[in-house]
Each structure stands twice: as C-alpha cells, then as structure tokens.
Amino acid sequence: MPKPDYAIYPAVFSRDADDGYYVVTFPDVPDTISQGKTLTDAVKNAPDALGVALPDYSSYPTPTPLRDVQRAFPGDIVSLVGVDLRAARRKRRDSAVRKSVTIPQSLDQAARRAGINFSATLTEALERALEHRQN
C-alpha cells in the first residue's frame, strides 16, 4: 500500500515548567518532538517534526483516536496536527539520517529557550565546516 501524501496525528502540547516553552509530542510517532516559545510557535512547528519523522517509517503508524489521547493527557492541550508529506519530501534536500549527539546541559537549555532548531543548526554548522575545509 502506498504511503499517503497527507497524514494527521494527535499531538500533545505540554507546557514546560522550567522554561515555559510548549513541548509537542506525538504518542503514535515515538521520539518525534517539537517545541515553541508560544503555543502559536509550537502549533506552527509541529507539522515539520512529523514531516521529518514519518519518512523513516516503512509504514505509517495508525493514529490513535483524539478522544483517547485527550483521556490519556488530561492536563495538556491535545489537538490534531496534519502534514503535507509530498511538500515535506520536496523540502528535504536528500535523505535525512538520525544522529545522536551529546552537548552540555546548559547549552541545551539555552538553545531551547532561544527556540533554536537543533537539526537545522547542526546541518548549517556542518555545511560551513565542510566549506571551510574545501577552501
């Protein structure tokens, strides 16, 4: 069965008590996370997280009914998030790979407070480092 061009999943928007950011998780798509300084930012960023994560799946997970997720997360905001996967595929320059990196906790916290996208920043830094080595 071909993968759909559009996918919708329930998302959980949790307010981080330490820094006030909204953290977005997807119960049906483990290890997929996004965030935003405001709820508006979190809602805007959520589809990108799905657009990056779902292509790694051989078949997409079945979405849990929204009301079941709402019951499981009564203190959080639960909403559906959709992503145009065709557009997400076009956006990707090439196949993305997951990398696990270790950074100081203080740097992690400061970057999260600043709303820095870790993947984009690492990609830009690697591109600059490679450019520098080629010159």
Side-chain angles (χ1 to χ4, degrees), residues 67-85:
R67 93 186 65 167
D68 292 349
V69 177
Q70 288 170 327
R71 272 191 226 114
F73 297 90
D76 295 318
I77 298 168
V78 177
S79 181
L80 293 174
V81 170
V83 60
D84 180 341
L85 293 161

Side-chain angles (χ1 to χ4, degrees), residues 48-107:
D48 288 340
L50 283 176
V52 169
L54 288 174
D56 291 342
Y57 284 79
S58 57
S59 62
Y60 295 157
T62 301
T64 301
L66 185 64
R67 93 186 65 167
D68 292 349
V69 177
Q70 288 170 327
R71 272 191 226 114
F73 297 90
D76 295 318
I77 298 168
V78 177
S79 181
L80 293 174
V81 170
V83 60
D84 180 341
L85 293 161
R86 184 179 288 181
R89 284 190 294 270
R90 280 193 304 265
K91 211 181 206 185
R92 291 171 70 138
R93 287 181 275 186
D94 58 359
S95 297
V97 294
R98 290 184 187 260
K99 290 291 179 187
S100 178
V101 298
T102 303
I103 61 173
Q105 183 177 15
S106 59
L107 186 58

Side-chain angles (χ1 to χ4, degrees), residues 10-73:
V12 178
F13 295 80
S14 306
R15 188 104 190 230
D16 187 304
D18 292 333
D19 61 16
Y21 275 70
Y22 284 90
V23 176
V24 186
T25 56
F26 300 88
D28 300 311
V29 189
D31 300 325
T32 301
I33 189 168
S34 185
Q35 70 174 11
K37 187 171 186 173
T38 65
L39 183 57
T40 300
D41 291 340
V43 169
K44 285 181 184 177
N45 295 338
D48 288 340
L50 283 176
V52 169
L54 288 174
D56 291 342
Y57 284 79
S58 57
S59 62
Y60 295 157
T62 301
T64 301
L66 185 64
R67 93 186 65 167
D68 292 349
V69 177
Q70 288 170 327
R71 272 191 226 114
F73 297 90

